[in-house]
Amino acid sequence: MTEREADECRESIASDAEIYRGRLLDTELALWTAILTLNGILVSACSVMIAMMDGSWKIGFLTSIAASLLSSLLIFRNFNRRRYLYRCLSLVPSRETCLDDKKFDQYFKAVQKTKQYHSAHEERNKIDENYAICLLALATLACVATSYAKLFFTQ
């Protein structure tokens, strides 16, 4: 690879890396949003449970909290996988790496391996997202159902 080709190659990779840096930032912001949202759900569920401390009604609220925690763990795992991908893809090789064919081949193989890893886990990410949504729905349903049951059956 000539110096000019190396510079063009590096510029091309750098522009792609800029896109991935933006995606990395987006996923990090989304991770924090998910954490705050799920923490709000847990705090709300705990507040309801504390307000209704009868022993026989605790199971519904505990189910809600457990489902919310499991849902948050799935979301965290999903976001961590995506952050890892974008972090790896946002790395720009040095000019020396672009000039050295052997080093550039190693860089290129590492990028390809990361993309293959992500492709292999993309289906798992989708499944995790669906489970997280279902668990969040279950948590909401358990909390609401237990609240209404306690309200109607204890009067």
Side-chain angles (χ1 to χ4, degrees):
M1 191 181 287
T2 66
E3 283 191 37
R4 182 172 183 218
E5 289 172 335
D7 287 340
E8 288 174 1
C9 178
R10 190 171 189 288
E11 287 175 23
S12 173
I13 293 171
S15 69
D16 289 344
E18 191 61 36
I19 292 168
Y20 290 121
R21 282 189 198 102
R23 288 181 182 171
L24 175 62
L25 178 61
D26 290 346
T27 58
E28 286 176 345
L29 292 175
L31 174 63
W32 287 108
T33 300
I35 290 171
L36 292 174
T37 301
L38 291 171
N39 279 336
I41 291 168
L42 288 175
V43 167
S44 297
C46 288
S47 298
V48 171
M49 185 181 80
I50 290 169
M52 306 174 138
M53 281 301 265
D54 293 355
S56 62
W57 298 103
K58 285 184 182 180
I59 191 71
F61 297 115
L62 291 174
T63 301
S64 177
I65 291 170
S68 292
L69 283 172
L70 188 54
S71 174
S72 66
L73 288 174
L74 291 171
I75 289 174
F76 295 153
R77 186 170 75 169
N78 189 357
F79 276 112
N80 281 331
R81 281 185 194 143
R82 291 181 193 276
R83 282 183 52 217
Y84 171 76
L85 169 73
Y86 295 137
R87 182 171 288 130
C88 290
L89 294 178
S90 69
L91 299 174
V92 179
S94 67
R95 188 168 192 265
E96 292 77 29
T97 299
C98 289
L99 288 172
D100 185 346
D101 287 339
K102 185 176 180 180
K103 286 182 182 178
F104 187 77
D105 284 342
Q106 289 174 343
Y107 165 79
F108 187 75
K109 286 177 183 174
V111 168
Q112 292 303 105
K113 185 177 180 182
T114 300
K115 287 180 180 180
Q116 288 171 353
Y117 172 83
H118 176 69
S119 294
H121 287 85
E122 185 61 29
E123 189 61 33
R124 183 73 236 168
N125 286 345
K126 289 176 186 176
I127 292 169
D128 285 355
E129 287 173 0
N130 289 334
Y131 279 141
I133 291 167
C134 290
L135 286 168
L136 198 51
L138 174 69
T140 304
L141 183 64
C143 187
V144 170
T146 305
S147 297
Y148 277 114
K150 178 156 180 22
L151 182 69
F152 289 120
F153 293 122
T154 58
Q155 291 181 348

